[in-house]
Amino acid sequence: MVQSSVLGFPRMGALRDLKKANEAYWADKLSQADLLAEGKRLRLAHWKIQKDAGVDIIPSNDFSFYDHVLDHIQLFNAVPERYTSQKLSPLDEYFAMGRGHQKGGVDVPALEMVKWFDSNYHYVKPTLQDNQTFSLAEDPKPVREFLEAKEAGFQTRPVLLGPVSFLALGKADRGSSVDPITLLDKLVPVYVQLLKALKAAGAESVQIDEPVLVFDLRPEVKSAFKPAYEAFAAEGSAIPSLVVATYFGDIVHNFDVLPAFSQVQGLHVDLVRNPEQLEPVLKQLGPSQILSAGVVDGRNIWKNNFQKSLNLLQTAVKALGPERVIVATSSSLLHTPHTLASEKKLPADVYEWFSFACEKVKEVAILAKAVTAPETVRAELDANAAAMKARAESTRTNDPKVKERQAQVTDAMHHRKSAFETRYAQQRKHLNLPLFPTTTIGSFPQTSEIRVQRNKFTKGEITEQEYDDFIKKEIDLAIQIQDELGLDVYVHGEPERNDMVQYFGERLQGYVFTTHAWVQSYGSRCVRPPIIVGDISRPAPMTVKESKYAASVSKKPMKGMLTGPVTCLRWSFPRDDVHQSVQCQQLALALRDEVIDLEKNGIFVIQVDEPALREGLPLRKGPERDAYLKWAVNSFKLATAGVEDSTQIHSHFCYSEFQDFFHAIAALDADVLSIENSKSDAKLLKVFIDEAYPRHIGPGVYDIHSPRVPPESEFKQRIQEMLQYLRPEQLWINPDCGLKTRKWDEVKGALTHMVNAAKYFREQYSKA
């Protein structure tokens, strides 16, 4: 019989319950005991959802209060000494690593946080020492949660991040030079100890995730699988059987690693992202190994095409037999919203196109039955076929005017009028900026009052004029604070914006929106991605009114703030029936109109954020990556190239891991580039010297994901480090990212220190 499996379930709950509980705990409004109780309630509810849906193999240890990689850091006692020395409770130590801790005489920053592969989820990077040791936590979380499920009547399969992936995704701490993969011999015995404990608790099988297998692996990492999994195999029946899970790509290029898994029970592969790997993988399996076939998309919200999935599953069953095939989600459902049942305002026809986590677990169970006994789920199969047909024939998806405009795009539309040197000469004269200019990335705190007023306006409880007046007062406040701080280029603070992608999506044709479809981005931060259902166009200006007003009451240059086409695409749920390059060009044309309108209305600094450009990069080098970078760069340039030389184009990027596609960053031709950099080693900026980068750069000088306010000395230290790699006239001073999630006292404190540090260097260099 074909079984069904889910690789992981969303953690937040139907109403972002975990977010609310975490934030109440951080604000000292909820006790630790109550927070832990809420976590248990959510776990039990999520296991029940999957069991009631008919899923055969339900995961445990997929729940996390902050991040599953951070869970493993604490699980293996790989916590840096700067946290253990503070003598915090285990839970507070855990949160300190995730978000920093600055109270009760303790002041420690967070560990570095980066994107999880090519998703919008962020993980905390294991940060390892030259003298690193590992040991198993006294009360191991995977064992505790397995027993919790067992006591409640759920037989689960614990999920672990595998030892090779854990180390390969880590880094050496500042001041250390260790290559994390060389620590494998120290880590594997701790995994063995954990697996034995799970076996003793009653676990029959363990899902062990090795997602780095989809990367191009350096030899040291590739060769690490053999000793690790031989050590597991040597334990025989003393440990549970293992299913090695991969996702977000194919593993064909790493087939030479598979002999290391000859003794594991089975292998999971992502057949949504790379269905073509099915037949090669089938040929690689051992005579009794199972295939976990990831056919239900863990990354998007479209209803599964049952017929398409069944074609793949039947191929697998024909090759292996039903007992050796598991129908599974392609990855954890962490990246999908909780349930479609909460959506009461979606158009009826569109509603039938979607499937969220609670619906996807049902799809997995239905498909498992349909492979060998389709008559038992005939009604479900027929309904699915009808939904596929209705979407394919819908008039929502196609706009001839959009396609006509795309056909008229020329190469010249992708290029500024002059080279940077000519542009900058005009910008310097026009904007009158000092050395080391200071600015912020865009958003200021979204206070409870802002959210209340936006909610009232959405519900029709206040008029449009009343709401506009309120927004103007918030803009006035933001400008007053920037005056007091002494920043050089202002932003209006974005009080009118709910989200940097949703706000634009609501003003574009081709999108639909949800009310409760939240997805975890990091920690307690959740986003509600809009959904692209058809061709995209801009009916009217989207940001001009607020930016024009802000400029009219500002003493300094006002920066217009837009989200770039690649990020609008990547941080939406995109269509799966049209190539992403087509959708991105449509977004670029809409934004081009907006950029030109901003300039016409007196906005001469315009920031077009592309924090998702790195995220969208295909995980492996090759033709797919080259093609992506070509259309992504062209989309940005199409959006921004329509302005005069005297208008300064900025862009912002999350994370400084851009060495492997630096040529694309340079090709964007942005006048000023700001990057998230505060938790990265400043020497990563050396690439700007090596590549003789001519334009201006603002590496982030402090971490906005943490409530911690760095002292002025820390800002000076960061700027001094940056000046080892960047020319003084090239350097802008700014935070890592927008300040939407922070409180005003945190913002004022940090920006005061930042501006003072910039003034210090300005004075030093003016004397030189």
Side-chain angles (χ1 to χ4, degrees):
M1 177 177 114
V2 174
Q3 287 191 301
S4 56
S5 168
V6 171
L7 268 62
F9 198 80
R11 306 156 181 164
M12 284 291 150
L15 298 173
R16 292 181 292 164
D17 311 79
L18 182 59
K19 168 189 173 66
K20 296 169 186 175
N22 272 341
E23 292 177 357
Y25 176 73
W26 297 335
D28 296 322
K29 296 178 181 178
L30 189 72
S31 70
Q32 179 171 311
D34 287 341
L35 176 61
L36 297 176
E38 177 65 356
K40 180 176 181 178
R41 183 190 71 80
L42 288 168
R43 289 191 294 273
L44 293 173
H46 298 164
W47 290 325
K48 185 176 188 302
I49 287 168
Q50 294 170 81
K51 184 174 183 179
D52 290 348
V55 175
D56 298 307
I57 303 171
I58 298 171
S60 59
N61 198 45
D62 55 331
F63 175 87
S64 176
F65 279 106
Y66 203 91
D67 165 54
H68 60 283
V69 183
L70 180 57
D71 292 347
H72 285 71
I73 292 171
Q74 195 168 57
L75 174 66
F76 299 130
N77 283 314
V79 180
E81 188 270 341
R82 56 184 172 275
Y83 301 100
T84 58
S85 64
Q86 304 300 331
K87 306 303 180 185
L88 299 168
S89 71
L91 186 63
D92 287 340
E93 177 186 90
Y94 172 83
F95 285 134
M97 288 188 285
R99 62 191 300 269
H101 189 101
Q102 193 174 45
K103 64 180 179 180
V106 175
D107 184 5
V108 287
L111 291 176
E112 183 178 7
M113 187 167 60
V114 296
K115 291 292 179 76
W116 179 245
F117 293 75
D118 58 356
S119 76
N120 190 29
Y121 177 77
H122 305 62
Y123 77 96
V124 176
K125 213 169 177 63
T127 303
L128 305 168
Q129 320 300 318
D130 289 340
N131 60 348
Q132 185 68 53
T133 61
F134 302 102
S135 61
L136 191 62
E138 186 174 333
D139 182 19
K141 177 178 177 289
V143 178
R144 183 173 69 246
E145 292 183 5
F146 173 81
L147 290 172
E148 179 182 88
K150 185 177 179 181
E151 182 181 346
F154 303 105
Q155 182 64 31
T156 61
R157 183 175 70 182
V159 180
L160 301 176
L161 180 61
V164 178
S165 291
F166 176 79
L167 293 173
L169 295 170
K171 69 169 188 176
D173 203 353
R174 288 185 181 179
S176 292
S177 58
V178 64
D179 179 352
I181 203 64
T182 63
L183 299 170
L184 185 75
D185 289 346
K186 294 181 178 181
L187 181 59
V188 166
V190 185
Y191 267 87
V192 170
Q193 184 184 355
L194 173 60
L195 290 168
K196 286 182 175 180
L198 286 167
K199 177 76 172 186
E204 299 169 359
S205 178
V206 168
Q207 173 187 318
I208 191 158
D209 290 0
E210 292 286 10
V212 297
L213 278 167
V214 303
F215 286 142
D216 291 317
L217 297 174
R218 55 193 178 95
E220 296 86 349
V221 175
K222 185 174 282 195
S223 64
F225 286 99
K226 187 174 187 291
Y229 284 84
E230 283 181 349
F232 296 156
E235 297 297 326
S237 60
I239 66 172
S241 58
L242 304 179
V243 174
V244 175
T246 67
Y247 35 80
F248 304 157
D250 76 88
I251 61 169
V252 174
H253 56 290
N254 281 321
F255 271 175
D256 54 336
V257 170
L258 293 191
F261 304 135
S262 61
Q263 301 303 308
V264 304
Q265 180 189 19
L267 182 67
H268 172 88
V269 292
D270 185 340
L271 297 179
V272 173
R273 184 70 68 90
N274 291 96
E276 71 280 357
Q277 70 176 318
L278 173 59
E279 295 202 21
V281 167
L282 289 172
K283 294 175 183 176
Q284 294 291 322
L285 293 175
S288 62
Q289 285 183 313
I290 64 169
L291 174 73
S292 174
V295 294
V296 173
D297 196 348
R299 290 279 297 273
N300 214 326
I301 46 68
W302 301 103
K303 184 170 288 188
N304 187 270
N305 185 323
F306 283 171
Q307 189 54 59
K308 184 177 178 181
S309 295
L310 285 170
N311 290 340
L312 292 169
L313 295 168
Q314 286 159 356
T315 298
V317 168
K318 183 177 179 181
L320 303 177
E323 300 297 329
R324 291 175 58 199
V325 175
I326 297 174
V327 180
T329 55
S330 63
S331 65
S332 170
L333 295 176
L334 170 67
H335 313 283
T336 62
H338 186 85
T339 178
L340 186 60
S342 299
E343 301 305 322
K344 307 301 184 184
K345 295 183 179 180
L346 282 171
D349 58 334
V350 170
Y351 184 94
E352 293 300 323
W353 300 351
F354 302 143
S355 176
F356 297 172
C358 289
E359 292 72 39
K360 287 178 183 290
V361 299
K362 294 176 183 176
E363 290 179 337
V364 166
I366 291 167
L367 283 166
K369 295 175 183 176
V371 180
T372 55
E375 67 282 353
T376 63
V377 286
R378 177 55 55 196
E380 291 88 343
L381 294 176
D382 289 346
N384 182 267
M388 296 299 111
K389 184 173 185 292
R391 182 184 171 203
E393 296 174 353
S394 173
T395 57
R396 281 183 181 272
T397 58
N398 297 301
D399 185 338
K401 291 182 180 179
V402 173
K403 291 180 170 59
E404 180 182 351
R405 188 178 184 196
Q406 286 183 279
Q408 295 171 353
V409 171
T410 64
D411 180 66
M413 294 170 67
H414 298 90
H415 302 286
R416 296 287 295 271
K417 292 180 172 63
S418 304
F420 171 72
E421 291 76 11
T422 302
R423 300 198 306 262
Y424 181 62
Q426 294 193 35
Q427 292 163 16
R428 188 175 181 182
K429 180 179 179 181
H430 189 201
L431 300 173
N432 192 30
L433 296 175
L435 194 65
F436 304 113
T438 56
T439 189
T440 62
I441 302 303
S443 60
F444 278 140
Q446 290 265 317
T447 63
S448 58
E449 178 63 14
I450 290 174
R451 292 192 293 270
V452 166
Q453 293 300 317
R454 184 186 300 130
N455 192 41
K456 285 183 177 180
F457 178 59
T458 301
K459 292 180 177 179
E461 295 175 4
I462 59 176
T463 66
E464 183 174 357
Q465 185 61 55
E466 288 173 321
Y467 184 63
D468 285 348
D469 290 343
F470 171 77
I471 292 299
K472 285 181 178 179
K473 288 179 182 178
E474 290 294 320
I475 292 172
D476 290 341
L477 173 64
I479 290 172
Q480 176 190 332
I481 290 172
Q482 290 172 94
D483 283 338
E484 294 168 355
L485 291 168
L487 289 160
D488 298 306
V489 174
Y490 289 4
V491 297
H492 78 283
E494 305 177 15
E496 79 285 4
R497 302 187 191 182
N498 46 15
D499 174 82
M500 65 182 292
V501 175
Q502 183 182 347
Y503 179 82
F504 291 95
E506 289 172 346
R507 286 152 181 81
L508 294 168
Q509 297 287 348
Y511 274 93
V512 297
F513 305 91
T514 61
T515 52
H516 298 288
W518 297 96
V519 178
Q520 185 182 13
S521 178
Y522 65 86
S524 67
R525 168 76 169 147
C526 297
V527 294
R528 186 157 46 99
I531 304 170
I532 303 175
V533 297
D535 290 334
I536 300 163
S537 61
R538 185 194 78 145
M542 301 179 285
T543 67
V544 172
K545 179 173 68 175
E546 291 80 11
S547 294
K548 183 179 179 180
Y549 172 75
S552 73
V553 295
S554 173
K555 300 175 183 177
K556 300 282 185 71
M558 176 58 59
K559 187 162 56 171
M561 302 299 305
L562 303 175
T563 303
V566 178
T567 300
C568 281
L569 175 71
R570 293 290 308 180
W571 290 0
S572 302
F573 288 118
R575 295 169 67 176
D576 62 355
D577 60 337
V578 174
H579 195 274
Q580 291 195 10
S581 61
V582 176
Q583 300 172 69
C584 201
Q585 188 185 59
Q586 293 174 357
L587 285 160
L589 286 168
L591 289 166
R592 181 183 181 90
D593 296 341
E594 188 72 12
V595 168
I596 291 171
D597 280 348
L598 283 169
E599 184 185 53
K600 288 178 180 176
N601 283 274
I603 309 299
F604 302 114
V605 181
I606 302 172
Q607 182 171 308
V608 181
D609 289 344
E610 284 292 18
L613 184 70
R614 176 67 176 83
E615 171 192 317
L617 191 71
L619 298 174
R620 297 180 58 219
K621 295 179 180 178
E624 184 184 3
R625 179 179 287 193
D626 294 341
Y628 164 78
L629 288 173
K630 182 177 181 179
W631 62 253
V633 168
N634 278 342
S635 294
F636 178 88
K637 293 170 72 175
L638 180 62
T640 57
V643 295
E644 299 299 322
D645 287 347
S646 56
T647 293
Q648 190 171 75
I649 296 294
H650 290 226
S651 190
H652 172 69
F653 295 86
C654 286
Y655 315 113
S656 53
E657 297 176 349
F658 43 69
Q659 290 81 354
D660 53 352
F661 70 110
F662 186 84
H663 66 285
I665 298 289
L668 295 173
D669 199 25
D671 299 307
V672 181
L673 184 71
S674 59
I675 54 176
E676 185 175 1
N677 188 72
S678 69
K679 288 186 287 186
S680 300
D681 196 318
K683 67 175 176 283
L684 294 175
L685 299 173
K686 184 174 181 292
V687 67
F688 289 98
I689 295 177
D690 295 341
E691 301 292 336
Y693 187 77
R695 293 178 285 279
H696 291 192
I697 310 156
V701 291
Y702 82 96
D703 176 21
I704 62 84
H705 298 106
S706 170
R708 178 176 175 268
V709 176
E712 188 174 315
S713 60
E714 199 169 304
F715 284 97
K716 290 178 179 177
Q717 179 184 349
R718 291 297 290 169
I719 295 170
Q720 188 64 59
E721 290 172 352
M722 292 169 184
L723 286 168
Q724 297 177 44
Y725 304 101
L726 301 173
R727 303 187 309 275
E729 67 273 14
Q730 194 178 26
L731 182 60
W732 283 62
I733 310 300
N734 46 257
D736 263 347
C737 290
L739 300 164
K740 174 181 177 178
T741 60
R742 301 272 54 91
K743 297 177 181 177
W744 269 117
D745 59 339
E746 299 163 358
V747 168
K748 291 178 182 178
L751 291 182
T752 296
H753 295 166
M754 185 188 84
V755 170
N756 287 343
K759 288 178 179 177
Y760 169 81
F761 282 96
R762 197 175 295 155
E763 291 169 1
Q764 295 299 308
Y765 276 83
S766 66
K767 295 175 184 177

